[in-house]
Amino acid sequence: MNYFSLRYLAITGVFVILEILFSMMLLAQPVTIPVMTENNAMVLYANKNGDLGTVFLGPKLTNVAEYDDVAGMYRQGDDYSNILNSAYTPSGSRSLLEPAITVTHWDGNNSLDLRYVSHSQTKVDDNVSVLSILLKDPVYDFEVMLFYKTYYKEDVIEQWSEIKHREKGTVVLHKYASANLHIKAKSYWLNQYHGDWAKEMQPEESRLTHGIKTLDSKLGTRANLFQPSVFMISLDKPATEDEGNVLYGALEYSGNFKIDLEVDYQDNLRIIAGINNYASAYSLKAGETFTTPVFLYTFSSKGKGAASRQLQRWARTYKLLDGHGDRLTLLNNWEATYFDFNENKLAELIKDTKKLGVDLFLLDDGWFANKYPRNDDRAGLGDWQENRRKLPNGISSLVKEAKNNSVKFGIWIEPEMVNPQSELYEKHPGWVIRQPKREEHYFRNQLVLDLANPQVQDFVYNIVDGLFTQNPDLAYIKWDCNAVIYNAHSAYLKNQSHFYIEYMRGLYTVLKKIRAKYPKVPMMLCSGGGGRVDYGALQYFTEFWPSDNTDPLERIFIQWEYSYFYPAISSSNHVTDWGRQPLKYRTDVAMMGKLGFDIVVSKLPASDLRFCQEVIASYKTLKDVIWQGDQYRLSSPWENDVASLMYVNAGQSRGVVFNYLVNSRYGGGSKLPVKLKGLDPKKKYRLKEINLYPDTTSPLESGKSYSGDFLMNVGFNPQVSSARSSVVLQIEEEV
């Protein structure tokens, strides 16, 4: 026994005797732990020393016993540490590469060694199971529980960890990942995303080379503004829509994230994902449990399209709030009025809502504050009383007006934020995130409220609760979040390194409380566009706002990329005056998700109004196919003159295909037929062009039927051209 062990034994007594005995014990026999879904498997293996590693991740083998032979097939050189493939890599002991967890023990020691102790599996239902694996340090009373929640039919795994200890003093967590994956292949291709305001979800694909590639955010709020926490990894070669091995990953967390992608010296890929530990060392008390956010992943051996359909089915059933429910079509006033409106103008817009044929009128920014009225974005945030000049009879009169017109009423809020020019800022400067000795720096003329403070949490909750209490018929909330965090400092917290974590805990506490009282009210997740789109937030929201950029041509690309990770029912798409495309094109693009309008209805020509009304009626007959159907990307806007995207219902009896001209150069259009997907090759289908502008006819032959085999192997030409820049086809099984 070495000097350190003897010294530690003298300090901690009997407990350490037991722990040293534990550390000297070998497993009676190695343990194999398969993590299975319908088509895939991740196999974990604890060797005789208790080192837990990943030996396989990929398509499921027919013979489970053969997983024991996998490791012996690789000849990649020495693993000097014996933990290169660790399922949760500790630092400071044997690890030579990027760790999943780094700690400083109560006595100042920085080493950690995690050994397998036991595992158990709980069956939630016929489709969902939770595997838990206990790892412990042989010397310190420190443990990590790894959780793997499998969704069998959807091929999705959610993974997270719980960290706790019973040491004599506080342990500092310097890194605390949710997951640590280990993958073997010849090469790895990363598809990541970047962006900014109005430029969300811009894809980039590159081959991963040796070393570490890090995807991360340090923005505090609106964390996905520059780089979202979703990505794809293709194995051996870039995956296509229908071919190749690909893994999708996403962190279910709305704050700072960090994803390390390390190709090691054996040419294997290690993925370590979790909360960003930037400025966030966490002091963990004895007996306290630190639970990481969930990291989700799905693997497909049949290309990116199959992976996205797996993830979309999972999201609708298990994560997105009311993922199989209804959604409200709406008319928003923002681009019609901006901040310039009054009660009479809004009453007319409510009448236009009914005339248009949508379900709800949404009142956007500008309805609140009196001492510092919200007439632009420089004042009023935080003062959530109705502006008496604009709305002398309050919100309740507008809710009644909507009810009298047989439509619903919704409202915009941004409750996490404050303008320095506000009564809230004057009365509660300690509620604002700001460094007291630094000059304030603003994002959109505003600062962020300190949700680490329980008083601020109550304030934000009461904003929402007060609106519903005073207006029981209120039917919709648009929750915005326009600022990132500068000068991060909480007047409430004693330990500032806990700030970013406690802010997110505070936000989720508020959202949980709102949903406990108002479980079914639709809420849109907005963040100056798509700055906060993740499944950590979407479990509280029915939909999200992909981008403030509503130019329909741009939206085709933005919505295309979001669709790899999020289902159509969650994507709020509005018809606006952005872009140069005709109204039909704009409306068709918005139909590919949850349809809304942000236009001046009273100024529409009669033919445009009629067109919108007919499209809304048509949309209501097709919305179930769009929201709940399987989605197939047929022709990429990045590679072709025409973008085509298709939805098919579960019974393969109905579908809809959206086709758009995305290249306006001379002669651009659908020269070749578009091959459809997802149909039954033995069934016969009729195709009909819908969303025709009034008094126009389709050049497509009507009444003719085609086999699914023909449509998928030969295809159908929608005849897209500069004169027909948007074509929507309805597919019906011939009975």
Side-chain angles (χ1 to χ4, degrees):
M1 190 176 294
N2 61 32
Y3 169 77
F4 175 78
S5 296
L6 288 170
R7 182 173 179 272
Y8 194 73
L9 175 61
I11 295 172
T12 56
V14 175
F15 163 72
V16 172
I17 294 175
L18 296 174
E19 289 299 305
I20 290 175
L21 289 173
F22 164 71
S23 71
M24 296 173 65
M25 290 173 58
L26 300 180
L27 295 179
Q29 59 183 14
V31 178
T32 299
I33 310 171
V35 184
M36 301 285 195
T37 61
E38 186 171 37
N39 297 297
N40 303 319
M42 179 169 63
V43 181
L44 306 174
Y45 178 82
N47 64 21
K48 63 182 181 179
N49 295 317
D51 297 320
L52 181 70
T54 305
V55 295
F56 182 83
L57 195 160
K60 189 163 64 175
L61 300 181
T62 303
N63 184 355
V64 176
E66 290 190 317
Y67 289 120
D68 292 338
D69 299 325
V70 170
M73 296 296 107
Y74 291 86
R75 296 288 185 269
Q76 295 176 283
D78 292 331
D79 174 1
Y80 305 104
S81 65
N82 293 326
I83 57 171
L84 264 183
N85 68 338
S86 175
Y88 200 73
T89 310
S91 69
S93 53
R94 290 173 288 155
S95 174
L96 301 174
L97 300 176
E98 185 66 24
I101 182 169
T102 304
V103 308
T104 298
H105 295 283
W106 72 277
D107 62 355
N109 190 288
N110 290 322
S111 69
L112 183 64
D113 193 6
L114 295 173
R115 306 292 181 96
Y116 168 85
V117 176
S118 62
H119 73 277
S120 63
Q121 185 132 3
T122 302
K123 198 169 181 63
V124 178
D125 56 37
D126 289 341
N127 191 53
V128 182
S129 298
V130 179
L131 169 70
S132 58
I133 304 176
L134 178 61
L135 308 176
K136 296 187 75 170
D137 189 299
V139 176
Y140 289 89
D141 195 359
F142 185 98
E143 66 183 51
V144 175
M145 186 77 81
L146 302 180
F147 293 90
Y148 301 82
K149 189 172 186 178
T150 55
Y151 300 84
Y152 188 81
K153 292 179 182 177
E154 294 77 17
D155 285 321
V156 169
I157 299 175
E158 289 187 301
Q159 186 176 342
W160 69 97
S161 59
E162 287 184 356
I163 304 166
K164 62 182 177 181
H165 71 92
R166 287 174 291 274
E167 298 185 20
K168 282 196 169 184
T170 297
V171 171
V172 179
L173 307 180
H174 301 287
K175 191 173 184 182
Y176 27 83
S178 299
N180 184 169
L181 305 186
H182 185 270
I183 303 173
K184 291 179 179 290
K186 289 187 295 184
S187 59
Y188 312 93
W189 297 82
L190 169 67
N191 195 333
Q192 66 182 92
Y193 296 90
H194 68 94
D196 196 347
W197 179 81
K199 294 188 293 185
E200 289 86 350
M201 293 298 284
Q202 303 299 307
E204 287 182 319
E205 187 167 51
S206 59
R207 182 171 178 168
L208 288 172
T209 57
H210 291 83
I212 298 178
K213 169 79 173 185
T214 297
L215 312 177
D216 76 336
S217 174
K218 304 179 183 72
L219 304 181
T221 60
R222 208 176 170 186
N224 292 331
L225 177 61
F226 303 138
Q227 185 167 72
S229 58
V230 295
F231 63 94
M232 308 176 199
I233 298 290
S234 298
L235 308 184
D236 300 324
K237 61 181 180 180
T240 65
E241 199 67 33
D242 300 306
E243 294 181 343
N245 294 319
V246 61
L247 180 138
Y248 282 23
L251 190 67
E252 297 179 28
Y253 191 63
S254 309
N256 293 345
F257 62 84
K258 185 178 184 184
I259 299 162
D260 293 316
L261 304 136
E262 181 174 26
V263 179
D264 66 24
Y265 66 88
Q266 287 191 338
D267 306 322
N268 302 317
L269 175 63
R270 306 167 72 251
I271 303 174
I272 299 174
I275 296 175
N276 197 335
N277 55 333
Y278 160 76
S280 295
Y282 192 88
S283 299
L284 188 68
K285 298 176 183 177
E288 180 186 358
T289 299
F290 185 95
T291 303
T292 69
V294 171
F295 178 68
L296 76 90
Y297 45 99
T298 185
F299 180 86
S300 166
S301 60
K302 298 177 180 178
K304 297 188 290 186
S308 71
R309 286 185 289 279
Q310 291 165 191
L311 197 53
Q312 289 174 4
R313 292 186 202 113
W314 168 83
R316 289 192 297 263
T317 303
Y318 294 103
K319 190 58 61 171
L320 179 67
L321 185 65
D322 198 21
H324 289 288
D326 202 1
R327 295 293 186 270
L328 298 169
T329 55
L330 61 82
L331 176 66
N332 191 10
N333 74 299
W334 179 243
E335 294 193 19
T337 67
Y338 295 99
F339 294 100
D340 183 19
F341 57 80
N342 56 35
E343 207 168 78
N344 292 333
K345 188 180 287 189
L346 295 179
E348 290 303 312
L349 290 175
I350 290 172
K351 291 183 177 67
D352 288 341
T353 304
K354 181 179 181 180
K355 182 191 301 183
L356 187 61
V358 292
D359 303 313
L360 176 137
F361 173 74
L362 173 61
L363 175 58
D364 214 292
D365 195 358
W367 57 269
F368 52 91
N370 288 292
K371 182 178 179 181
Y372 303 104
R374 183 70 168 174
N375 295 323
D376 52 43
D377 65 8
R378 292 188 292 271
L381 268 182
D383 300 344
W384 296 100
Q385 68 282 141
E386 296 104 327
N387 181 277
R388 290 186 292 270
R389 185 171 181 180
K390 293 180 181 180
L391 305 176
N393 296 300
I395 295 296
S396 60
S397 67
L398 297 174
V399 176
K400 290 176 184 176
E401 182 69 22
K403 191 172 184 179
N404 291 338
N405 282 274
S406 301
V407 296
K408 298 179 184 296
F409 184 87
I411 200 165
W412 176 97
I413 55 174
E414 193 176 4
E416 300 166 69
M417 304 293 163
V418 62
N419 286 124
Q421 194 174 1
S422 67
E423 291 183 85
L424 181 66
Y425 183 92
E426 293 175 345
K427 293 176 181 177
H428 297 287
W431 286 9
V432 179
I433 295 170
R434 53 198 284 269
Q435 289 280 358
K437 297 181 181 180
R438 305 280 182 196
E439 181 182 356
E440 290 181 351
H441 190 68
Y442 307 125
F443 199 108
R444 200 181 180 244
N445 305 305
Q446 62 196 57
L447 297 168
V448 183
L449 294 175
D450 181 12
L451 280 174
N453 185 336
Q455 287 183 296
V456 178
Q457 294 170 25
D458 290 341
F459 170 78
V460 172
Y461 170 78
N462 288 331
I463 292 168
V464 180
D465 186 47
L467 283 168
F468 284 117
T469 301
Q470 296 165 27
N471 308 283
D473 290 327
L474 186 65
Y476 187 91
I477 294 287
K478 178 182 176 181
W479 182 303
D480 214 338
C481 171
N482 279 295
V484 301
I485 293 176
Y486 294 121
N487 294 319
H489 178 86
S490 167
Y492 172 78
L493 292 175
K494 293 181 180 179
N495 188 341
Q496 295 302 314
S497 68
H498 288 197
F499 167 72
Y500 287 115
I501 293 170
E502 293 299 339
Y503 180 90
M504 288 312 308
R505 287 176 174 173
L507 173 63
Y508 289 149
T509 295
V510 172
L511 292 171
K512 286 176 185 175
K513 191 174 178 182
I514 289 170
R515 280 311 178 191
K517 188 169 182 181
Y518 306 102
K520 294 187 177 180
V521 175
M523 292 207 310
M524 180 202 290
L525 174 65
C526 182
S527 191
R532 183 191 273 169
V533 181
D534 63 86
Y535 283 115
L538 280 173
Q539 59 191 314
Y540 305 108
F541 292 84
T542 50
E543 58 218 61
F544 69 90
W545 183 237
S547 178
D548 282 347
N549 186 342
T550 55
D551 181 313
L553 181 59
E554 296 290 340
R555 268 299 189 108
I556 289 170
F557 292 85
I558 292 171
Q559 292 169 198
W560 185 276
E561 297 302 327
Y562 272 119
S563 75
Y564 283 111
F565 300 93
Y566 303 102
I569 191 174
S570 67
S571 180
S572 293
N573 307 331
H574 289 186
V575 181
T576 74
D577 289 330
W578 279 49
R580 299 177 180 178
Q581 289 74 23
L583 178 64
K584 172 176 163 49
Y585 193 106
R586 288 180 271 142
T587 307
D588 290 348
V589 171
M591 244 180 102
M592 291 194 296
K594 205 225 75 171
L595 178 63
F597 290 81
D598 204 330
I599 55 178
V600 184
V601 176
S602 61
K603 294 184 179 180
L604 289 177
S607 57
D608 281 0
L609 177 59
R610 178 182 159 195
F611 170 75
C612 289
Q613 291 167 334
E614 291 175 352
V615 166
I616 292 165
S618 177
Y619 177 75
K620 290 181 178 180
T621 68
L622 284 169
K623 62 184 182 181
D624 287 346
V625 177
I626 297 169
W627 295 348
Q628 303 298 334
D630 283 337
Q631 183 187 71
Y632 294 88
R633 297 167 207 84
L634 309 179
S635 177
S636 171
W638 302 99
E639 301 168 0
N640 303 285
D641 289 352
V642 174
S644 294
L645 189 141
M646 176 179 179
Y647 300 91
V648 183
N649 70 353
Q652 298 176 298
S653 61
R654 300 184 72 214
V656 58
V657 186
F658 296 92
N659 306 276
Y660 309 101
L661 183 68
V662 293
N663 173 21
S664 59
R665 295 187 67 186
Y666 180 77
S670 55
K671 298 180 177 65
L672 302 175
V674 176
K675 293 181 180 180
L676 308 190
K677 299 176 185 178
L679 301 176
D680 185 333
K682 297 179 182 179
K683 289 182 177 180
K684 286 282 220 175
Y685 297 93
R686 293 187 185 277
L687 274 63
K688 175 186 174 183
E689 184 172 359
I690 61 171
N691 290 13
L692 290 168
Y693 196 79
D695 302 321
T696 63
T697 57
S698 173
L700 303 179
E701 185 177 1
S702 62
K704 187 172 181 179
S705 62
Y706 303 86
S707 68
D709 179 50
F710 179 90
L711 292 171
M712 291 190 292
N713 288 294
V714 176
F716 185 87
N717 197 318
Q719 298 186 31
V720 174
S721 65
S722 59
R724 284 169 49 80
S725 58
S726 175
V727 177
V728 181
L729 303 174
Q730 180 177 298
I731 304 171
E732 296 282 351
E733 179 185 354
E734 185 177 63
V735 180

